[in-house]
Amino acid sequence: MRLRGRKGIRESLESQTDLVILNPEEYKGKWADLFGNGKPIHVEFGMGKGQFISQMSYRNQEVNYIGIDMYDELVRRASDKARIAWAEEEVETPPNLKLALANIENILDVFEQGEVERIYLNFSDPWPKSKHARRRLTHPRFLDKYKEVLNSQGQIHFKTDSETLFEFSLNSFADYGLQMTNISLNLHRDGLNEEHVMTEYEQKFMGKGMNIHRVEVLIGEDALKEYQEIRLKKYRYQEPTV
């Protein structure tokens, strides 16, 4: 994938030290200190143009967000989206958002064990050829890394338009022994689901009438315990009231 962007992209990123992190490895184990609060950290791997992570940071200000992409131009575009998202409140720099330039292959160099609470994988490259399966972000070799950086509340939220990738991912999660919940084969079946922030790709695919597949994967011990309690309560027999 090649991106043709404007000249001066690197200079633009270097001038945005309040928002953009070009050396994320230096913050391994220190992200909470960088944000300066004890709020949970949610990360989007492969943020694209940044619409999702920008809107999430604006809507959920009790959470710290980090958007990661490996392309300079996408990080630049995401920085524009982030500032626009917060402009309504006359805030120039989102206080709970950082945009980092990094390759997802190297996330163990970026995050310390248990430093992240939630990972978002939105419309990742499906790598449709079987010989490229190891490059899919839901392949077990990536799940090993996610499990390392996620804490006791750790979850993965995954969305895709690719039926093939979704099928592969469900099998990958199952083979890895992970608990899945809120599985949807058509997220917006009954119309636009206002609860979910959409990415640029999601809006595009929705416009074409394509189904959006989504699943939440529970990894952290406490997340699993809470899920089991909710599930037992949901299905537990209750005596009828007279």
Side-chain angles (χ1 to χ4, degrees):
M1 176 181 180
R2 289 187 176 182
L3 291 173
R4 185 175 298 174
R6 301 183 312 203
K7 293 182 179 179
I9 294 173
R10 193 71 181 191
E11 290 79 2
S12 173
L13 297 181
E14 290 175 348
S15 69
Q16 299 187 68
T17 55
D18 58 336
L19 179 61
V20 175
I21 306 294
L22 297 179
N23 51 342
E25 297 84 2
E26 295 184 7
Y27 294 94
K28 180 178 179 178
K30 303 175 183 177
W31 289 101
D33 294 336
L34 180 63
F35 284 110
N37 57 56
K39 297 176 182 179
I41 295 175
H42 294 186
V43 183
E44 183 182 13
F45 290 142
M47 67 177 169
K49 298 176 183 178
Q51 176 169 294
F52 176 84
I53 202 72
S54 297
Q55 289 296 323
M56 288 294 284
S57 73
Y58 180 72
R59 292 192 188 187
N60 307 298
Q61 298 179 26
E62 71 283 359
V63 175
N64 293 322
Y65 290 93
I66 302 173
I68 291 182
D69 212 284
M70 63 184 293
Y71 296 104
D72 293 42
E73 171 62 3
L74 290 180
V75 175
R76 185 197 64 74
R77 294 184 190 183
S79 70
D80 290 343
K81 290 280 180 72
R83 297 188 192 282
I84 291 172
W86 281 79
E88 186 174 322
E89 291 196 8
E90 298 183 353
V91 174
E92 181 178 355
T93 303
N96 63 334
L97 175 64
K98 298 297 178 184
L99 307 175
L101 183 67
N103 190 320
I104 300 169
E105 292 276 1
N106 305 322
I107 61 170
L108 294 183
D109 296 326
V110 175
F111 297 106
E112 189 61 79
Q113 182 177 3
E115 197 167 16
V116 175
E117 181 178 279
R118 185 175 300 173
I119 290 172
Y120 293 101
L121 302 174
N122 293 320
F123 302 93
S124 310
D125 192 327
W127 293 104
K129 295 183 179 179
S130 298
K131 65 179 181 180
H132 293 151
R134 284 177 54 82
R135 300 184 184 183
R136 297 168 188 164
L137 295 188
T138 52
H139 188 278
R141 74 184 187 91
F142 282 105
L143 298 182
D144 285 337
K145 299 178 182 183
Y146 304 154
K147 190 173 183 179
E148 182 77 14
V149 303
L150 286 167
N151 62 23
S152 63
Q153 291 286 351
Q155 301 182 23
I156 298 170
H157 289 196
F158 173 64
K159 280 197 293 189
T160 181
D161 63 297
S162 171
E163 182 177 329
T164 302
L165 178 60
F166 196 62
E167 181 179 302
F168 170 87
S169 301
L170 294 183
N171 281 301
S172 182
F173 297 144
D175 291 344
Y176 204 90
L178 300 178
Q179 176 66 59
M180 291 172 276
T181 185
N182 293 326
I183 300 173
S184 176
L185 301 179
N186 186 359
L187 181 61
H188 304 292
R189 178 185 292 108
D190 300 319
L192 179 62
N193 191 324
E194 296 289 351
E195 293 182 3
H196 296 283
V197 173
M198 292 205 294
T199 72
E200 293 90 347
Y201 278 121
E202 191 168 358
Q203 290 178 325
K204 176 182 177 181
F205 297 142
M206 280 281 292
K208 294 182 178 180
M210 299 170 64
N211 291 345
I212 304 300
H213 314 301
R214 184 179 184 272
V215 62
E216 296 174 12
V217 185
L218 309 180
I219 294 181
E221 182 178 343
D222 290 341
L224 285 167
K225 188 179 300 183
E226 290 174 11
Y227 170 75
Q228 293 295 345
E229 291 175 355
I230 293 172
R231 187 173 67 167
L232 287 174
K233 184 177 181 180
K234 179 179 180 181
Y235 295 109
R236 185 179 291 124
Y237 173 77
Q238 295 181 355
E239 291 289 344
T241 57
V242 178

